[in-house]
Amino acid sequence: MPARRWLIVAAACLVALILVYVLAVLTVTGQELENAALRGADQAAARDQTAADQSLSRITLYSLGVAVVLVAVIGLLRRRPALAVAAVGVIVAGQVVTQGLKRFVLPRPSLVPLTGHYADNSMPSGHTTIAMTVLFAALLVVPYRWRGVTMVLLLSWAVGIGAYTVTAKWHRLSDTLAADAIALGLACLASWWLARRGVVRRYEGRRRIPRVLVVVVASLAGLVFLALGGFLIGAALSQDGLDATLRDNTWVVYLAASSLASAGSVAAALAFLGTWRRLEIP
């Protein structure tokens, strides 16, 4: 079993995390663009901000505990204790790594004038990490035939949480992308551990059309988010330049950041699902 595929993806996640931090946090332009997106979020409709705050507020220590118990129970009901340990480990390790990086490892230097709570360090996003690790843990623990259904039920929620952190001004785009990378990397390490234990098998059954459709729809949605975010920020910068965009087009910068946050979450989910293509834990 080519278990090294998960190590390769995990290494790529580490590189992505470093690049996001360097470009968005350690450069003046990166900080200016992300701060402009936060200012642009002030122009979001009140109902959108309310929906974002309410959705994020539902993620509590108790709801996280329920998610951990559920994935553990599914693994144990399948008589796969190692699977339960791996799935729970992804969620728990996600918070340990995220909070450790945020508090002790990844400082946000003051490269541009900024006051208020926006000046606080916020990388990576704990809420996005929770959403993505719960999604990955669920994909790990459910049987092969239920992966498509699991994606349908959880992907839109996980993607929405990442975008909502920007709308609610709880986090910047880089925070959500870093969280995506952490969650994907940890899920791949858990998958590698399971493969090394010899519990992963090649799936020999027929291709399930609904699951293929889920992947196709998610891929198209991810491409739309990516294209929209790239077009918005690219058009604003090419037409008005950086200074005018930062001053007058903060709404456009916010829309681009929100779209790119969604694209990042979709890409991470599809990448993880791709590593498990035609593989299962019977």
Side-chain angles (χ1 to χ4, degrees):
M1 184 60 59
R4 64 179 178 274
R5 70 175 64 177
W6 287 297
L7 292 181
I8 293 172
V9 176
C13 289
L14 178 59
V15 173
L17 174 62
I18 294 172
L19 286 176
V20 167
Y21 178 68
V22 170
L23 295 176
V25 180
L26 299 185
T27 67
V28 172
T29 301
Q31 288 198 10
E32 287 178 336
L33 284 171
E34 292 209 298
N35 293 339
L38 291 178
R39 295 195 302 274
D42 287 329
Q43 303 175 48
R47 64 177 181 276
D48 293 335
Q49 295 186 0
T50 300
D53 286 331
Q54 290 177 345
S55 296
L56 295 174
S57 296
R58 293 190 187 102
I59 298 180
T60 64
L61 185 60
Y62 298 107
S63 61
L64 182 61
V66 170
V68 168
V69 170
L70 284 177
V71 297
V73 167
I74 294 173
L76 294 175
L77 287 176
R78 296 186 61 193
R79 299 181 181 179
R80 290 289 189 180
L83 186 57
V85 169
V88 170
V90 169
I91 299 175
V92 174
Q95 286 310 294
V96 172
V97 172
T98 293
Q99 298 305 323
L101 290 177
K102 181 187 299 186
R103 298 174 186 274
F104 306 112
V105 181
L106 301 180
R108 181 176 296 276
S110 300
L111 301 181
V112 297
L114 192 64
T115 59
H117 69 278
Y118 291 166
D120 296 336
N121 184 27
S122 58
M123 174 183 276
S125 165
H127 282 74
T128 304
T129 302
I130 289 175
M132 295 303 292
T133 53
V134 167
L135 169 62
F136 294 150
L139 290 174
L140 265 179
V141 81
V142 298
Y144 183 91
R145 64 182 179 276
W146 288 104
R147 284 184 196 163
V149 175
T150 303
M151 278 282 284
V152 170
L153 294 177
L154 293 181
L155 181 59
S156 60
W157 167 74
V159 171
I161 291 298
Y164 277 151
T165 61
V166 180
T167 300
K169 295 168 290 186
W170 289 21
H171 286 286
R172 300 166 174 85
L173 168 62
S174 61
D175 303 339
T176 68
L177 297 180
D180 291 334
I182 291 168
L184 177 57
L186 291 173
C188 286
L189 290 177
S191 302
W192 172 81
W193 179 72
L194 289 169
R196 294 288 293 176
R197 290 179 62 87
V199 299
V200 179
R201 299 286 185 270
R202 182 163 296 280
Y203 177 72
E204 302 296 345
R206 61 183 178 84
R207 186 184 300 273
R208 295 183 176 274
I209 300 302
R211 183 170 174 270
V212 174
L213 291 176
V214 169
V215 172
V216 171
V217 172
S219 299
L220 291 175
L223 289 174
V224 169
F225 285 131
L226 179 62
L228 179 60
F231 171 78
L232 287 172
I233 193 64
L237 291 175
S238 61
Q239 180 176 347
D240 301 323
L242 178 62
D243 291 339
T245 297
L246 294 174
R247 184 180 62 252
D248 303 324
N249 287 336
T250 56
W251 170 248
V252 174
V253 179
Y254 155 69
L255 291 178
S258 181
S259 295
L260 293 174
S262 297
S265 297
V266 172
L270 290 174
F272 182 64
L273 194 62
T275 65
W276 278 89
R277 182 176 180 270
R278 305 294 291 177
L279 296 177
E280 66 170 342
I281 298 178

